[in-house]
Amino acid sequence: MIDIENLTFQYEDAVEPALRNVSLHIKKGEFLAVVGHNGSGKSTLARHLNALLLPTKGTVRVEGMNTKDEENTLPIRQKVGIVFQNPDNQIVTTVVEEDVAFGPENIGVPPEEIRKRVDNALLAVGMEEFAARAPHMLSGGQKQRIAIAGMIAMEPEVLVLDEATAMLDPKGRRDILSVVGKLHKEKGITVVMITQYMEEATAADRVAVMSGGELILCGTPEEVFRETELLRQHRLDVPAMTELKERLNAAGAELPDTILTVEDMADAICRSLLKN
Ligand code: ADP
Ligand code: MG
C-alpha cells in the first residue's frame, strides 16, 4: 500500500535531519503501530504518508504513486487520511454533521452520497445521536471520534492516527481504539497508529520503533517487545505485562516470551498454577 524507501527528511531551519534513511513497507489491510519517544520523528514520518511533507532524499510511494509528483497529491490525500492529536484544530464547523460532511463536500461528492457517508461515518464511531449537536460542547474523546468520522466520510484506504488518543482519558482512549479496530477488521482499512502507549501497540499486526529519526526495529509485537534491552537503551518502555513477566521469570517463574497483555498473563499464570 505504502512504500517508503531510504527516506531522509530535514526541516529547512534544522541543523540535523528529522528522519534518516527510513525504509518501511506498509501492507494493504495491515494495522501498523509506530512508537518512539518525543522528537523521534513519528509525526514527520506520518506527514510523509499523504504528501504533507516531501522527502529530502529517498521516496515515498502510495499504491505506486510517488508523493513528489504534484499530480499525485490529490489522489494520495484521498487515499490516506490523517487524524492529529488535538481535535480542536480539526473541527471546522459548528454542527457535528456539517463537520463530518466538510471533507466530502470539498472534493465534490454529490449531496445524496454525502448524506449517506455522514450517517455511516457517525454510526461507525458511535456518534449518530450527536449529529445535530455543537462540536465544542463535546468531550475530548467525542470530538476525536468526530474527527475520525470526518476522515471515514472521505473513504480513505489508509487511516493514520498521529497520537490521536494522547489527550484523552483511559476510557476515551479505549473507545477510539475499539472504533479503529472495528474499521480495520470490518472495512479492511489499513491503519497506521502512532502512539506513546506500548499497550496500544500490542494490538497491532506490526510495530515500528523510531528513535532519533531512525527506524530501529520493526516486527510483530512479540518480536519487538522481546527486545527489552534494546528498547531500554533507547529510553523506551515495554508493555507492563512484559515487564511483569521478566520480573517473575527472574524470580524463577517460567513464563513464555509471548506475553503482552493482561489476558496473556492470566492464561500463562493459570496454566502454570494448574501444572503444579
Ligand atoms: P515526534 O512526532 O516523534 O515527537 P517529530 O516528527 O515531531 O517527532 O519531530 C522530529 C524532529 O523534527 C524533532 O527534533 C523536532 O524538533 C523537529 N521538528 C518537528 N517539526 C519541525 C518543524 N516544523 N521545523 C523544524 N523542526 C521540526
Ligand atoms: Mg508527534
Side-chain angles (χ1 to χ4, degrees), residues 1-39:
M1 183 78 220
I2 302 183
D3 258 313
I4 303 165
E5 257 173 70
N6 301 318
L7 166 60
T8 293
F9 178 80
Q10 184 153 352
Y11 287 100
E12 247 171 47
D13 48 353
V15 287
E16 287 205 323
L19 292 174
R20 295 164 202 266
N21 217 25
V22 172
S23 294
L24 179 65
H25 178 73
I26 302 170
K27 290 181 225 99
K28 204 175 176 70
E30 132 167 274
F31 191 144
L32 176 76
V34 180
V35 300
H37 50 71
N38 273 336

CSV table of all heavy atoms in Angstrom, one decimal, residues 1-39:
chain,number,residue,atom,x,y,z
A,1,MET,N,0.8,-1.2,0.0
A,1,MET,CA,0.0,0.0,0.0
A,1,MET,C,0.9,1.3,0.0
A,1,MET,O,0.7,2.1,-0.8
A,1,MET,CB,-0.9,0.0,1.3
A,1,MET,CG,-1.9,1.1,1.4
A,1,MET,SD,-3.3,0.8,0.3
A,1,MET,CE,-3.5,2.5,-0.3
A,2,ILE,N,1.8,1.3,1.0
A,2,ILE,CA,2.7,2.5,1.0
A,2,ILE,C,4.2,1.9,1.1
A,2,ILE,O,4.5,1.1,1.9
A,2,ILE,CB,2.5,3.4,2.2
A,2,ILE,CG1,1.0,3.9,2.2
A,2,ILE,CG2,3.5,4.5,2.3
A,2,ILE,CD1,0.7,4.9,3.3
A,3,ASP,N,5.0,2.4,0.2
A,3,ASP,CA,6.4,2.0,0.2
A,3,ASP,C,7.3,3.2,0.5
A,3,ASP,O,7.3,4.2,-0.2
A,3,ASP,CB,6.8,1.6,-1.3
A,3,ASP,CG,6.8,0.1,-1.4
A,3,ASP,OD1,7.4,-0.5,-0.5
A,3,ASP,OD2,6.2,-0.4,-2.3
A,4,ILE,N,8.0,3.1,1.6
A,4,ILE,CA,9.0,4.1,2.0
A,4,ILE,C,10.4,3.6,1.8
A,4,ILE,O,10.7,2.6,2.3
A,4,ILE,CB,8.7,4.5,3.5
A,4,ILE,CG1,7.3,4.9,3.7
A,4,ILE,CG2,9.7,5.6,3.9
A,4,ILE,CD1,6.9,4.9,5.1
A,5,GLU,N,11.1,4.3,0.9
A,5,GLU,CA,12.5,3.8,0.6
A,5,GLU,C,13.5,4.9,1.0
A,5,GLU,O,13.5,6.0,0.4
A,5,GLU,CB,12.6,3.4,-0.8
A,5,GLU,CG,12.5,1.9,-1.1
A,5,GLU,CD,12.5,1.6,-2.5
A,5,GLU,OE1,13.5,1.8,-3.2
A,5,GLU,OE2,11.4,1.2,-3.0
A,6,ASN,N,14.4,4.5,1.9
A,6,ASN,CA,15.6,5.4,2.2
A,6,ASN,C,15.2,6.8,2.4
A,6,ASN,O,15.8,7.8,1.9
A,6,ASN,CB,16.7,5.3,1.2
A,6,ASN,CG,17.2,3.9,1.0
A,6,ASN,OD1,17.4,3.2,1.9
A,6,ASN,ND2,17.3,3.5,-0.3
A,7,LEU,N,14.1,7.0,3.2
A,7,LEU,CA,13.5,8.4,3.4
A,7,LEU,C,14.4,9.1,4.4
A,7,LEU,O,14.5,8.7,5.5
A,7,LEU,CB,12.1,8.3,3.9
A,7,LEU,CG,11.5,9.5,4.5
A,7,LEU,CD1,11.4,10.6,3.4
A,7,LEU,CD2,10.0,9.2,5.0
A,8,THR,N,14.9,10.2,3.9
A,8,THR,CA,15.6,11.2,4.8
A,8,THR,C,14.9,12.5,4.6
A,8,THR,O,14.5,12.9,3.5
A,8,THR,CB,17.1,11.3,4.3
A,8,THR,OG1,17.8,10.1,4.6
A,8,THR,CG2,17.8,12.4,5.1
A,9,PHE,N,14.7,13.2,5.7
A,9,PHE,CA,14.0,14.5,5.7
A,9,PHE,C,14.6,15.5,6.7
A,9,PHE,O,14.8,15.1,7.8
A,9,PHE,CB,12.5,14.4,6.0
A,9,PHE,CG,11.8,15.7,5.9
A,9,PHE,CD1,11.4,16.3,4.7
A,9,PHE,CD2,11.5,16.4,7.1
A,9,PHE,CE1,10.8,17.5,4.7
A,9,PHE,CE2,10.9,17.6,7.1
A,9,PHE,CZ,10.5,18.2,5.9
A,10,GLN,N,14.9,16.7,6.2
A,10,GLN,CA,15.4,17.7,7.0
A,10,GLN,C,14.5,18.9,6.9
A,10,GLN,O,14.3,19.4,5.8
A,10,GLN,CB,16.9,18.0,6.6
A,10,GLN,CG,17.5,19.1,7.5
A,10,GLN,CD,19.0,18.9,7.6
A,10,GLN,OE1,19.6,17.9,7.1
A,10,GLN,NE2,19.7,19.8,8.2
A,11,TYR,N,14.0,19.5,8.0
A,11,TYR,CA,13.3,20.7,8.0
A,11,TYR,C,14.2,21.8,7.6
A,11,TYR,O,15.4,21.8,7.9
A,11,TYR,CB,12.7,21.0,9.4
A,11,TYR,CG,11.5,20.1,9.7
A,11,TYR,CD1,11.7,19.0,10.6
A,11,TYR,CD2,10.2,20.4,9.2
A,11,TYR,CE1,10.6,18.2,10.9
A,11,TYR,CE2,9.2,19.5,9.5
A,11,TYR,CZ,9.3,18.4,10.4
A,11,TYR,OH,8.3,17.6,10.7
A,12,GLU,N,13.7,22.8,6.9
A,12,GLU,CA,14.5,23.9,6.4
A,12,GLU,C,15.4,24.6,7.4
A,12,GLU,O,16.6,24.8,7.1
A,12,GLU,CB,13.6,25.0,5.8
A,12,GLU,CG,13.7,25.0,4.2
A,12,GLU,CD,12.7,25.9,3.6
A,12,GLU,OE1,12.5,27.1,4.1
A,12,GLU,OE2,12.0,25.5,2.6
A,13,ASP,N,14.9,24.9,8.5
A,13,ASP,CA,15.7,25.6,9.5
A,13,ASP,C,16.5,24.7,10.5
A,13,ASP,O,17.1,25.2,11.4
A,13,ASP,CB,14.8,26.6,10.3
A,13,ASP,CG,13.5,25.9,10.8
A,13,ASP,OD1,13.3,24.7,10.4
A,13,ASP,OD2,12.8,26.5,11.6
A,14,ALA,N,16.5,23.4,10.2
A,14,ALA,CA,17.1,22.5,11.2
A,14,ALA,C,18.5,22.2,10.8
A,14,ALA,O,18.9,22.3,9.7
A,14,ALA,CB,16.3,21.2,11.2
A,15,VAL,N,19.3,21.8,11.8
A,15,VAL,CA,20.7,21.5,11.6
A,15,VAL,C,20.9,20.0,11.3
A,15,VAL,O,21.9,19.6,10.7
A,15,VAL,CB,21.6,21.9,12.8
A,15,VAL,CG1,21.8,23.4,12.8
A,15,VAL,CG2,21.1,21.4,14.1
A,16,GLU,N,19.9,19.2,11.8
A,16,GLU,CA,20.0,17.8,11.6
A,16,GLU,C,18.7,17.2,10.9
A,16,GLU,O,17.7,17.8,11.1
A,16,GLU,CB,20.1,17.1,13.0
A,16,GLU,CG,21.5,17.3,13.6
A,16,GLU,CD,21.7,16.1,14.6
A,16,GLU,OE1,20.8,15.7,15.3
A,16,GLU,OE2,22.9,15.7,14.7
A,17,PRO,N,18.9,16.1,10.2
A,17,PRO,CA,17.6,15.6,9.6
A,17,PRO,C,16.7,15.0,10.7
A,17,PRO,O,17.1,14.5,11.7
A,17,PRO,CB,18.1,14.4,8.7
A,17,PRO,CG,19.6,14.3,9.0
A,17,PRO,CD,20.1,15.4,9.8
A,18,ALA,N,15.4,15.2,10.5
A,18,ALA,CA,14.4,14.6,11.4
A,18,ALA,C,14.1,13.2,11.1
A,18,ALA,O,13.7,12.4,12.0
A,18,ALA,CB,13.1,15.4,11.3
A,19,LEU,N,14.4,12.7,9.9
A,19,LEU,CA,14.3,11.3,9.5
A,19,LEU,C,15.6,10.9,8.8
A,19,LEU,O,16.0,11.7,7.9
A,19,LEU,CB,13.1,11.1,8.6
A,19,LEU,CG,11.7,11.3,9.2
A,19,LEU,CD1,10.7,11.1,8.1
A,19,LEU,CD2,11.4,10.2,10.3
A,20,ARG,N,16.1,9.8,9.1
A,20,ARG,CA,17.3,9.3,8.4
A,20,ARG,C,17.1,7.9,7.8
A,20,ARG,O,16.9,7.0,8.6
A,20,ARG,CB,18.5,9.2,9.4
A,20,ARG,CG,18.9,10.4,10.1
A,20,ARG,CD,19.7,10.0,11.3
A,20,ARG,NE,19.8,11.1,12.3
A,20,ARG,CZ,20.8,11.9,12.4
A,20,ARG,NH1,21.8,11.9,11.6
A,20,ARG,NH2,20.7,12.9,13.3
A,21,ASN,N,17.2,7.9,6.5
A,21,ASN,CA,17.2,6.6,5.8
A,21,ASN,C,16.2,5.6,6.3
A,21,ASN,O,16.5,4.4,6.6
A,21,ASN,CB,18.6,6.1,6.1
A,21,ASN,CG,19.2,5.3,4.9
A,21,ASN,OD1,18.7,5.7,3.7
A,21,ASN,ND2,20.0,4.4,5.1
A,22,VAL,N,14.9,6.0,6.4
A,22,VAL,CA,13.9,5.1,6.9
A,22,VAL,C,13.3,4.4,5.7
A,22,VAL,O,12.9,4.9,4.7
A,22,VAL,CB,12.7,6.0,7.5
A,22,VAL,CG1,11.6,5.1,7.9
A,22,VAL,CG2,13.3,6.6,8.8
A,23,SER,N,13.3,3.1,5.8
A,23,SER,CA,12.6,2.2,4.8
A,23,SER,C,11.6,1.3,5.5
A,23,SER,O,11.9,0.7,6.5
A,23,SER,CB,13.7,1.3,4.1
A,23,SER,OG,14.6,2.1,3.3
A,24,LEU,N,10.4,1.4,4.9
A,24,LEU,CA,9.3,0.7,5.5
A,24,LEU,C,8.2,0.4,4.5
A,24,LEU,O,7.9,1.2,3.7
A,24,LEU,CB,8.7,1.5,6.7
A,24,LEU,CG,7.5,1.0,7.5
A,24,LEU,CD1,7.9,-0.2,8.3
A,24,LEU,CD2,7.0,2.2,8.4
A,25,HIS,N,7.7,-0.8,4.5
A,25,HIS,CA,6.7,-1.2,3.5
A,25,HIS,C,5.4,-1.5,4.3
A,25,HIS,O,5.4,-2.4,5.2
A,25,HIS,CB,7.1,-2.5,2.8
A,25,HIS,CG,6.1,-3.0,1.8
A,25,HIS,ND1,5.8,-2.3,0.6
A,25,HIS,CD2,5.3,-4.0,1.9
A,25,HIS,CE1,4.9,-2.9,0.0
A,25,HIS,NE2,4.5,-4.0,0.7
A,26,ILE,N,4.4,-0.7,4.1
A,26,ILE,CA,3.1,-0.9,4.8
A,26,ILE,C,2.2,-1.6,3.9
A,26,ILE,O,1.8,-1.2,2.8
A,26,ILE,CB,2.5,0.5,5.2
A,26,ILE,CG1,3.5,1.3,6.1
A,26,ILE,CG2,1.2,0.3,6.0
A,26,ILE,CD1,3.1,2.7,6.4
A,27,LYS,N,1.7,-2.8,4.4
A,27,LYS,CA,0.9,-3.7,3.5
A,27,LYS,C,-0.6,-3.2,3.6
A,27,LYS,O,-1.0,-2.7,4.6
A,27,LYS,CB,1.0,-5.1,4.0
A,27,LYS,CG,2.4,-5.7,3.7
A,27,LYS,CD,2.4,-7.2,4.2
A,27,LYS,CE,3.6,-7.5,5.0
A,27,LYS,NZ,3.8,-7.6,6.3
A,28,LYS,N,-1.3,-3.5,2.5
A,28,LYS,CA,-2.7,-3.2,2.4
A,28,LYS,C,-3.4,-4.0,3.5
A,28,LYS,O,-3.2,-5.2,3.7
A,28,LYS,CB,-3.2,-3.6,1.0
A,28,LYS,CG,-4.5,-2.9,0.6
A,28,LYS,CD,-4.9,-3.2,-0.8
A,28,LYS,CE,-6.1,-2.6,-1.2
A,28,LYS,NZ,-6.0,-1.1,-1.4
A,29,GLY,N,-4.3,-3.3,4.3
A,29,GLY,CA,-5.1,-4.0,5.3
A,29,GLY,C,-4.3,-4.3,6.6
A,29,GLY,O,-4.9,-4.9,7.5
A,30,GLU,N,-3.1,-3.8,6.7
A,30,GLU,CA,-2.3,-4.1,7.9
A,30,GLU,C,-2.6,-3.0,9.0
A,30,GLU,O,-3.0,-1.9,8.6
A,30,GLU,CB,-0.8,-4.2,7.5
A,30,GLU,CG,0.1,-3.4,8.4
A,30,GLU,CD,1.6,-3.8,8.2
A,30,GLU,OE1,2.0,-4.8,8.8
A,30,GLU,OE2,2.3,-3.2,7.4
A,31,PHE,N,-2.4,-3.4,10.2
A,31,PHE,CA,-2.5,-2.5,11.3
A,31,PHE,C,-1.1,-2.3,11.9
A,31,PHE,O,-0.6,-3.2,12.5
A,31,PHE,CB,-3.5,-3.1,12.4
A,31,PHE,CG,-3.9,-2.1,13.5
A,31,PHE,CD1,-5.2,-2.2,14.0
A,31,PHE,CD2,-3.0,-1.2,14.0
A,31,PHE,CE1,-5.6,-1.3,15.0
A,31,PHE,CE2,-3.4,-0.3,15.0
A,31,PHE,CZ,-4.7,-0.4,15.5
A,32,LEU,N,-0.5,-1.2,11.6
A,32,LEU,CA,0.9,-0.9,12.0
A,32,LEU,C,0.8,0.1,13.1
A,32,LEU,O,0.2,1.2,13.0
A,32,LEU,CB,1.6,-0.3,10.8
A,32,LEU,CG,3.1,0.1,11.1
A,32,LEU,CD1,4.0,-1.1,11.2
A,32,LEU,CD2,3.6,1.0,10.0
A,33,ALA,N,1.6,-0.2,14.2
A,33,ALA,CA,1.7,0.8,15.3
A,33,ALA,C,3.1,1.4,15.1
A,33,ALA,O,4.1,0.7,14.8
A,33,ALA,CB,1.6,0.2,16.6
A,34,VAL,N,3.3,2.7,15.3
A,34,VAL,CA,4.6,3.4,15.3
A,34,VAL,C,4.8,3.9,16.7
A,34,VAL,O,4.0,4.7,17.2
A,34,VAL,CB,4.7,4.5,14.3
A,34,VAL,CG1,6.0,5.1,14.3
A,34,VAL,CG2,4.3,3.9,12.9
A,35,VAL,N,5.9,3.5,17.4
A,35,VAL,CA,6.2,4.0,18.7
A,35,VAL,C,7.5,4.7,18.7
A,35,VAL,O,8.3,4.5,17.8
A,35,VAL,CB,6.1,2.9,19.8
A,35,VAL,CG1,4.8,2.3,19.9
A,35,VAL,CG2,7.2,1.9,19.5
A,36,GLY,N,7.8,5.5,19.8
A,36,GLY,CA,9.1,6.2,19.8
A,36,GLY,C,8.9,7.4,20.7
A,36,GLY,O,7.8,7.9,20.8
A,37,HIS,N,10.0,7.9,21.4
A,37,HIS,CA,9.8,9.0,22.3
A,37,HIS,C,9.6,10.3,21.6
A,37,HIS,O,9.7,10.3,20.3
A,37,HIS,CB,10.9,9.1,23.3
A,37,HIS,CG,12.3,9.0,22.7
A,37,HIS,ND1,12.8,10.0,22.0
A,37,HIS,CD2,13.2,8.0,22.7
A,37,HIS,CE1,14.0,9.7,21.5
A,37,HIS,NE2,14.2,8.5,22.0
A,38,ASN,N,9.3,11.4,22.3
A,38,ASN,CA,9.1,12.7,21.7
A,38,ASN,C,10.3,13.1,20.9
A,38,ASN,O,11.4,13.0,21.3
A,38,ASN,CB,8.9,13.7,22.8
A,38,ASN,CG,7.4,13.8,23.2
A,38,ASN,OD1,6.5,13.4,22.4
A,38,ASN,ND2,7.2,14.2,24.4
A,39,GLY,N,10.0,13.6,19.7
A,39,GLY,CA,11.1,14.1,18.8
A,39,GLY,C,11.8,13.0,18.0
A,39,GLY,O,12.8,13.3,17.3
